[in-house]
Amino acid sequence: MTREYKIAVVNGDGIGNEIVPAGVSVLNATAEKHGFKLNFDNFSWGAGHYLEHGEFMPSNGIEQLKKFDAIFFGAVGLPMVDDTLPAKDYTFKVRTDLKQYVNYRPVKLFSGVESPLRNKTEEDIDFVILRENNEGEFVQNGKILYPETPNGVAVDTSMVTRLGVERIAHYAFKLARKRRNKVTNVTKSNTLIYTLGFWDMIISEVAQQYPDVEYSKMYIDNASASFVLKPECFDVILTTNMLGDILSDLGGAIMGSLGLGGSGNINPEKEFPSMFEPIHGSAPDIAGQNIANPIGQIWSAALMLEHLGEMDAAKDILDAINHTTSKGNLTRDLKGTATTSEIADSIVNHIILKELANH
C-alpha cells in the first residue's frame, strides 16, 4: 500500500510565494522517487489575507489544520501590517494551539558555502538549537498601564513550567543520543534567578536520567561569543523561546546566510501536525524577483519528511542541497547569481539523476 501524507501548504507573504512552491517541487520529486504520495492543500493565509479579511486565518483555521499530517509554511508579514500581529495571530497561535513545543533549528555549513568565520569548516559548524516554543518570554502575558502619563508602566511576564521544561529537556537528551551525546543548556540564570533558575534546576534533574550524555550549562553571553569563536563545541543546544530565537539567527549568519536556515515546530507525540518553515522572514523588498534563497525552505521540507518517518527521502534532499552548493550554485545572498527557480531545479535534477544512476 502506498504511503500517503496530507500536507497543508501556507505560502504566507512576500518571498513565501516563491520559495514554498520551490520546496513543493522538491518534495514532489522526492516522493515520486521514494514511492510515497504527498497530498497538498493550499491556504492563502497571512498578512495579505489580513488586509482583505481582517484576520490572518479564519476563526476555524486551527481546526482545519488538525486534519493534516504536517504544515509546510513560508513566512508571514507585510510592511503595511502592524509587525506585532503576524506572531500573535498566526505563528504563535499555530505553535501553541497545536502543542508544537519543540522549535528545531539545525545549523550546518554546506559544502561550497563560505562561513563568515574564517578557518571554520563543515566539521566545525554542525549543531542543533532546540528552542522551547510554547512558554518563556513570548507568552505575551503582560500589560501596559497609563501609557500617556509620566508614571506609565509596561510589564511582560515570562512563564516557565515544570511540564514545559521537562518535555523539551527529554527531547534534547534523546536527540543528543542520536548525534554526539552532548547537551548545552544556554541560560541566563545568574540574572533571571527565578524563571531561569527553575529552568536550570529542572534540566539538571532530567540530565541525571541520561548519564551517557555530557551535560553543561552556558550563559547566553558566553554562548553568543562561542558561536563565533568555537562553534565546534556545540552539539545539541537547549534554550528558551527568546534566547533561541536570537541564537538561531546568529546560527544562520555563521552558516553564511539566514536564507539557508530551515526549522521545524514540532509536536513530538504527533497528536497534532507539526509546522516546517525557514528561519527568515517574508522579505517583501525582494519578493517577486526570483532571487530569494529557497534552501532554508527546502531544508525545512527535509525536516518535515524526517518527522514523517521518510528518513531516506530526507537524506536525499540534504545530499542534493549539498551537491548544489558545492558546485558554486548560489543565490545573491551568498554572492552568487543563481535564481530561486534555478536552485530548486538543480536540487530536483540531482534527486532524479541519482535515482536514474541507481537503476
Side-chain angles (χ1 to χ4, degrees):
M1 184 182 291
T2 303
R3 304 183 303 282
E4 290 195 34
Y5 306 98
K6 290 178 65 179
I7 310 298
V9 177
V10 183
N11 289 3
D13 305 298
I15 59 171
N17 293 302
E18 297 159 77
I19 60 174
V20 174
V24 168
S25 71
V26 172
L27 283 166
N28 279 327
T30 312
E32 186 174 346
K33 174 183 173 181
H34 288 273
F36 58 90
K37 188 174 180 185
L38 297 171
N39 299 308
F40 297 104
D41 278 5
N42 292 279
F43 297 88
S44 59
W45 300 343
H49 191 272
Y50 173 81
L51 289 173
E52 283 189 43
H53 304 284
E55 56 188 5
F56 278 74
M57 68 166 82
S59 56
N60 68 341
I62 295 295
E63 287 306 312
Q64 291 185 53
L65 291 176
K66 285 179 182 178
K67 300 168 186 171
F68 291 87
D69 296 302
I71 305 154
F72 194 51
F73 170 53
V76 66
L78 289 171
M80 62 286 290
V81 175
D82 178 351
D83 66 2
T84 66
L85 296 178
K88 179 172 74 74
D89 291 348
Y90 180 77
T91 317
F92 290 175
K93 186 172 179 56
V94 173
R95 291 172 179 173
T96 303
D97 289 0
L98 298 180
K99 295 193 169 104
Q100 298 166 352
Y101 61 84
V102 173
N103 189 286
Y104 182 104
R105 297 194 169 187
V107 177
K108 173 182 169 62
L109 187 60
F110 288 107
S111 180
V113 176
E114 279 189 21
S115 168
L117 308 181
R118 68 178 187 271
N119 305 327
K120 294 301 180 184
T121 67
E122 294 167 48
E123 287 73 34
D124 297 318
I125 301 175
D126 182 8
F127 56 89
V128 175
I129 300 166
L130 295 181
R131 161 188 169 193
E132 199 292 316
N133 216 25
N134 286 170
E135 299 185 352
E137 307 89 342
F138 286 174
V139 292
Q140 300 182 335
N141 177 24
K143 202 164 192 177
I144 300 176
L145 296 171
Y146 324 117
E148 308 304 328
T149 69
N151 60 336
V153 60
V155 178
D156 266 308
T157 304
S158 180
M159 184 178 76
V160 176
T161 69
R162 175 170 284 278
L163 169 67
V165 183
E166 281 182 346
R167 63 189 182 182
I168 194 163
H170 281 292
Y171 187 95
F173 283 95
K174 287 171 183 172
L175 177 63
R177 280 178 167 170
K178 298 175 186 174
R179 290 178 51 89
R180 300 192 302 277
N181 281 296
K182 186 175 182 182
V183 170
T184 305
N185 164 25
V186 174
T187 181
K188 193 59 180 168
S189 52
N190 56 336
T191 52
L192 299 171
I193 60 175
Y194 300 111
T195 52
L196 295 190
F198 188 52
W199 164 276
D200 289 354
M201 181 187 84
I202 296 166
I203 293 172
S204 179
E205 291 172 4
V206 173
Q208 292 171 26
Q209 300 174 45
Y210 300 85
D212 53 315
V213 178
E214 180 187 343
Y215 170 66
S216 62
K217 183 177 78 173
M218 187 181 288
Y219 294 132
I220 181 66
D221 33 359
N222 184 15
S224 300
S226 297
F227 264 47
V228 176
L229 298 174
K230 48 177 183 180
E232 64 275 10
C233 77
F234 297 113
D235 178 23
V236 174
I237 292 170
L238 171 58
T239 193
T240 71
N241 210 332
M242 185 171 77
L243 300 186
D245 191 22
I246 297 165
L247 277 183
S248 53
D249 273 19
L250 182 55
I254 67 172
M255 287 165 57
S257 168
L258 265 63
L260 295 168
S263 77
N265 304 279
I266 297 172
N267 172 250
E269 296 78 18
K270 298 186 180 178
E271 296 171 329
F272 301 103
S274 297
M275 180 168 68
F276 299 85
E277 60 177 312
I279 68 169
H280 55 73
S282 58
D285 56 318
I286 62 166
Q289 299 175 47
N290 198 28
I291 59 173
N293 189 341
I295 287 179
Q297 188 76 54
I298 293 167
W299 195 0
S300 302
L303 297 175
M304 181 174 77
L305 293 184
E306 192 175 301
H307 177 71
L308 294 172
E310 299 291 346
M311 310 303 284
D312 291 342
K315 184 179 183 304
D316 253 11
I317 293 177
L318 262 184
D319 288 347
I321 293 172
N322 219 40
H323 180 263
T324 294
T325 57
S326 71
K327 296 188 303 180
N329 201 356
L330 307 172
T331 42
R332 197 171 75 174
D333 55 315
L334 293 168
K335 301 184 176 64
T337 58
T339 64
T340 308
S341 49
E342 284 170 350
I343 294 292
D345 289 347
S346 172
I347 290 169
V348 167
N349 288 338
H350 182 71
I351 290 166
I352 293 170
L353 290 172
K354 194 175 171 188
E355 179 184 19
L356 292 173
N358 290 337
H359 282 77

